[in-house]
Amino acid sequence: MENFKDSELVLAPCKYEYLDHTADVQIHSWGNSLKEAFEQCGVAMYGYMTELPSVEIKQSAYIEAEGHDIESLLFHFLDELLFLFSCEPNLICSRLEIQEFITEGEELRLKCKCYGEEFVIGKHPQGTEVKAITYSAMQIVNEPEKNRFELFVIIDI
Amino acid sequence: MENFKDSELVLAPCKYEYLDHTADVQIHSWGNSLKEAFEQCGVAMYGYMTELPSVEIKQSAYIEAEGHDIESLLFHFLDELLFLFSCEPNLICSRLEIQEFITEGEELRLKCKCYGEEFVIGKHPQGTEVKAITYSAMQIVNEPEKNRFELFVIIDI
């Protein structure tokens, strides 16, 4: 250990602060159909908010989403799932089943049954708060001929 | 609790992953001189990496930094401090004293004595890993006539 003068051991007063912490994470999901890739993407979002094995299937809810293209359909789908969690009934879901999935025509829409339970602090480990879904760098791979269905979505956390 | 069919309780296999987690934090520091604002900025960075009250002053090291303007001087200063931590002697510092601080002329430079100790997991709570210093939205407020000396730096974490 070096020797220091007393004056060298005096710490400066704090003249700093931390601002504007921003972060995001990209979800990549896939499936044997675009529908499955959507379901996987929604579950992935919930999996970021808690540890999914802690979630029991005790109740369900339906959400509906619309969009003028697949990107906006995905955005609104995730946004509805986030809403289901953020507001009553504060549902966290480990299983999603899209029952209607219309991705052609003027107005795209889907209806999804969401299985899970009310989020309870203590029972469900708190993961990271999802603040918003974004369109940033969103990618939809929808190639039935290659059996490739993949989604890339960035969420703000 | 709702009643569900057995098939409704089967969870889907995992077909997703999380990519590219990115985050940053902005440090805002100030002082009665630009030199003090620099010292504060460096300490603030270390304060993000651990809890500073856990850091004892046991050893010291010198760093030098150069730049062609104040922005690049600040960048290289923080980068040297990060290097001091990331490589031998893995120093985490609670006190910085800039002893030479030349911010005019062709080549700006500084020399700083850095007081602290080797980072030891267990003794020092692990804060957030600082991955890189950035020039993004960097601001230098250097207004001696108003006694305003402030720095804003975004670091990647």
Side-chain angles (χ1 to χ4, degrees), chain A residues 60-64 84 97 99 111-114:
Chain A
S60 66
Y62 285 94
I63 59 150
E64 296 186 350
L84 211 55
E97 186 183 313
Q99 299 181 337
K111 185 173 179 182
C112 180
K113 189 168 184 180
C114 310

Side-chain angles (χ1 to χ4, degrees), chain B residues 75-87:
Chain B
F75 181 95
H76 290 123
F77 168 62
L78 295 175
D79 208 36
E80 286 295 324
L81 294 178
L82 188 55
F83 189 79
L84 210 56
F85 173 81
S86 306
C87 302

Side-chain angles (χ1 to χ4, degrees), chain A residues 18-31:
Chain A
Y18 303 109
L19 301 171
D20 285 337
H21 180 272
T22 62
D24 59 59
V25 65
Q26 187 175 38
I27 296 174
H28 174 210
S29 71
W30 56 92

Side-chain angles (χ1 to χ4, degrees), chain B residues 46 49-50 55 85 90-94 115-117 119 124:
Chain B
Y46 284 124
M49 292 147 83
T50 192
V55 177
F85 173 81
N90 302 111
L91 208 59
I92 185 111
C93 300
S94 56
Y115 298 81
E117 65 175 321
F119 184 84
H124 303 115

Side-chain angles (χ1 to χ4, degrees), chain B:
Chain B
M1 182 157 160
E2 284 180 56
N3 286 319
F4 293 104
K5 288 178 282 178
D6 284 350
S7 63
E8 288 185 292
L9 299 173
V10 178
L11 299 186
C14 178
K15 297 185 180 179
Y16 60 82
E17 60 186 352
Y18 303 110
L19 301 172
D20 286 336
H21 179 270
T22 63
D24 59 58
V25 65
Q26 187 175 39
I27 295 174
H28 173 211
S29 72
W30 56 93
N32 292 321
S33 63
L34 194 62
K35 181 172 90 66
E36 187 185 9
F38 265 63
E39 291 165 349
Q40 287 284 340
C41 194
V43 171
M45 187 178 72
Y46 284 124
Y48 209 72
M49 292 147 83
T50 192
E51 290 169 27
L52 289 180
S54 70
V55 177
E56 290 179 89
I57 292 178
K58 289 185 174 178
Q59 64 185 98
S60 66
Y62 285 94
I63 58 149
E64 295 186 351
E66 297 179 354
H68 59 275
D69 55 17
I70 295 180
E71 283 78 3
S72 61
L73 184 65
L74 177 60
F75 181 95
H76 290 123
F77 168 62
L78 295 175
D79 208 36
E80 286 295 324
L81 294 178
L82 188 55
F83 189 79
L84 210 56
F85 173 81
S86 306
C87 302
E88 291 289 329
N90 302 111
L91 208 59
I92 185 111
C93 300
S94 56
R95 184 175 198 274
L96 298 175
E97 187 183 315
I98 294 176
Q99 297 181 339
E100 279 179 42
F101 193 61
I102 294 156
T103 57
E104 290 181 350
E106 278 295 291
E107 192 177 64
L108 285 52
R109 66 173 195 273
L110 63 79
K111 187 173 178 181
C112 179
K113 189 169 185 181
C114 310
Y115 298 81
E117 65 175 321
E118 192 183 339
F119 184 84
V120 176
I121 292 174
K123 174 167 186 180
H124 303 115
Q126 272 192 289
T128 305
E129 186 197 4
V130 174
K131 298 201 185 105
I133 317 303
T134 81
Y135 281 104
S136 169
M138 188 187 281
Q139 282 182 70
I140 314 271
V141 179
N142 185 19
E143 298 177 355
E145 66 284 1
K146 293 183 189 166
N147 196 33
R148 281 193 65 203
F149 304 95
E150 294 180 52
L151 305 173
F152 294 84
V153 189
I154 290 178
I155 56 178
D156 284 341
I157 54 175

Side-chain angles (χ1 to χ4, degrees), chain A residues 46-104:
Chain A
Y46 285 123
Y48 210 71
M49 292 148 84
T50 193
E51 290 169 25
L52 289 181
S54 70
V55 177
E56 291 178 88
I57 292 178
K58 289 186 174 176
Q59 63 185 100
S60 66
Y62 285 94
I63 59 150
E64 296 186 350
E66 296 178 355
H68 59 276
D69 56 17
I70 295 180
E71 283 77 3
S72 62
L73 184 65
L74 177 59
F75 181 95
H76 290 123
F77 169 62
L78 295 175
D79 208 37
E80 286 294 323
L81 294 178
L82 188 55
F83 189 79
L84 211 55
F85 172 81
S86 307
C87 303
E88 291 289 331
N90 303 112
L91 208 60
I92 184 109
C93 300
S94 57
R95 183 174 198 276
L96 298 174
E97 186 183 313
I98 294 177
Q99 299 181 337
E100 280 180 41
F101 193 61
I102 294 157
T103 57
E104 290 183 348

